[in-house]
Amino acid sequence: MLKENLATVEEKIQNACIRAGRNRDEVTLISVSKTKPVSMLMEAYDLGVRVFGENKVQEIRDKYEAMPKDVEWHMIGHLQTNKVKYILDKVKLIHSVDSEKLAETIEKEGEKRNLISDILIEVNVAQETSKFGLKTEDVLPFYEKVCALPHVNVRGLMTIAPFVENPENNRSIFADLHKLYVDIKRKNIDNGTVSILSMGMTNDYEVAIEEGATMVRIGTGIFGARDYGLQ
Ligand SMILES: *Cc1c(COP(=O)(O)O)cnc(C)c1O
């Protein structure tokens, strides 16, 4: 099942790239393995998957220990400041930085460990009250502040779009985030390190790629539905 799912996702990514006139290598697939057992991650690993997304600190810690060391871990979920210290040296990228307090904690813990962390700023483009993330209008000033932190390296923006039946309904959200991404890139504060736009999930990643996503985060489409009841 995993093999077929990965092939289907890969084909859809390729086709979306073609439609958008983009190269396939401009888009990184993050396989979102949250709630799934290590055995299933290993099955994906054996099929060539090396980039995994998780949304819980404890799960990253456990899976980090259990999986081969050439895996790239992406923290895509809400991160509490008191847990930063557990994952800073384990993750390639934190997608979910949404407050000054969190950015400052990453700075402080990074300084202790002599470690510069790559992060994305999470934007709540749709302004859903249920979701984390900055308001669009707060992103530029926040970006400028975070750029002043020597152990925090802003690589781009991330959003979680609303769940919609028709992915076309999220197109304008992706286009808006892309616009903001281009604005920030132009500012060029951190010497051109902004190059990541993380948007698109199982339900809407093709539209996200058409609108400029450089990372798509796909869980269900690869690993199947999640059963939170068994947690
Ligand atoms: C769970 C999750 C995903 C993947 O969702 P699917 O709809 O299963 O593809 C992507 N991004 C974030 C932040 C998530 O929490």
Side-chain angles (χ1 to χ4, degrees):
M1 176 197 85
L2 215 51
K3 192 175 178 187
E4 289 77 18
N5 287 352
L6 278 166
T8 302
V9 167
E10 179 53 38
E11 193 185 338
K12 287 183 175 174
I13 291 175
Q14 281 179 23
N15 287 335
C17 285
I18 290 168
R19 284 196 299 278
R22 305 179 61 200
N23 288 323
R24 170 64 187 89
D25 64 10
E26 289 172 39
V27 181
T28 301
L29 168 60
I30 298 175
S31 298
V32 176
S33 47
K34 63 192 188 195
T35 79
K36 299 297 177 182
V38 168
S39 58
M40 205 182 249
L41 275 70
M42 267 318 292
E43 199 185 327
Y45 181 91
D46 289 336
L47 291 164
V49 174
R50 293 294 180 273
V51 185
F52 291 88
E54 290 283 343
N55 69 340
K56 294 228 155 61
V57 166
Q58 190 57 49
E59 221 170 322
I60 290 185
R61 294 176 79 185
D62 293 345
K63 288 173 175 172
Y64 179 90
E65 290 308 322
M67 293 286 292
K69 286 296 163 277
D70 63 341
V71 163
E72 207 178 90
W73 297 101
H74 287 245
M75 176 55 181
I76 62 173
H78 183 65
L79 181 55
Q80 289 170 279
T81 53
N82 61 339
K83 292 188 175 163
V84 167
K85 55 179 177 284
Y86 299 121
I87 58 158
L88 214 53
D89 60 342
K90 297 182 176 61
V91 297
K92 172 87 175 170
L93 182 66
I94 300 170
H95 290 234
S96 43
V97 175
D98 60 354
S99 72
E100 278 180 49
K101 194 172 153 224
L102 178 56
E104 280 159 8
T105 305
I106 295 169
E107 167 62 27
K108 197 178 69 193
E109 295 294 333
E111 189 177 15
K112 275 190 214 162
R113 292 167 178 73
N114 198 19
L115 201 150
I116 297 171
S117 299
D118 282 347
I119 66 117
L120 303 178
I121 298 170
E122 181 171 352
V123 190
N124 187 354
V125 185
Q127 306 234 358
E128 290 179 284
T129 49
S130 60
K131 296 232 168 92
F132 295 105
L134 296 177
K135 288 185 196 159
T136 303
E137 61 265 33
D138 295 335
V139 171
L140 263 175
F142 182 78
Y143 169 64
E144 284 168 4
K145 268 185 199 147
V146 177
C147 281
L149 304 173
H151 297 86
V152 183
N153 191 18
V154 182
R155 299 296 316 277
L157 304 177
M158 178 272 228
T159 198
I160 304 172
F163 181 81
V164 287
E165 289 296 332
N166 181 358
E168 284 299 327
N169 294 341
N170 280 339
R171 187 178 291 277
S172 66
I173 287 172
F174 296 141
D176 284 351
L177 194 68
H178 182 258
K179 214 177 293 166
L180 192 57
Y181 166 75
V182 171
D183 285 347
I184 281 174
K185 239 171 130 71
R186 283 213 189 97
K187 288 248 168 202
N188 200 24
I189 301 174
D190 258 357
N191 296 317
T193 58
V194 170
S195 62
I196 299 173
L197 186 53
S198 171
M199 58 186 195
M201 303 169 35
T202 296
N203 202 44
D204 54 19
Y205 64 96
E206 293 161 272
V207 173
I209 291 169
E210 288 167 15
E211 296 301 328
T214 72
M215 278 185 183
V216 289
R217 311 177 307 265
I218 303 180
T220 314
I222 294 172
F223 295 104
R226 287 177 292 272
D227 187 348
Y228 289 98
L230 291 176
Q231 286 257 286

